[in-house]
Amino acid sequence: SMFEPLKEMVALLSTYKEQLPEEIHLQLQDLPKRWDNTKKLCQRVKQNVAPLQANEAKLLSRKCQ
């Protein structure tokens, strides 16, 4: 996943006895789900905005003629 490099960095830090707060570990576990939710939200917004953009493009096209 795209968050593997972050997890690997946390693991590397722990090999050097650098411990991150528990909150960071919880956030790393939660990130993939939150990223998926963000992508879904983006898709819904695109679907809702598409008709508005098409209408605006039509209006601009008429003004240019």
Side-chain angles (χ1 to χ4, degrees), residues 8-43:
E8 290 170 3
M9 190 174 296
V10 168
L12 178 64
L13 287 170
S14 69
T15 63
Y16 291 101
K17 308 291 186 223
E18 293 295 326
Q19 295 299 319
L20 296 174
E22 183 64 25
E23 179 183 350
I24 299 296
H25 295 283
L26 294 174
Q27 287 175 346
L28 278 174
Q29 290 176 357
D30 196 36
L31 276 176
K33 181 179 74 174
R34 292 182 67 179
W35 180 244
D36 285 341
N37 290 342
T38 301
K39 291 190 297 187
K40 289 175 186 175
L41 174 62
C42 182
Q43 190 62 34

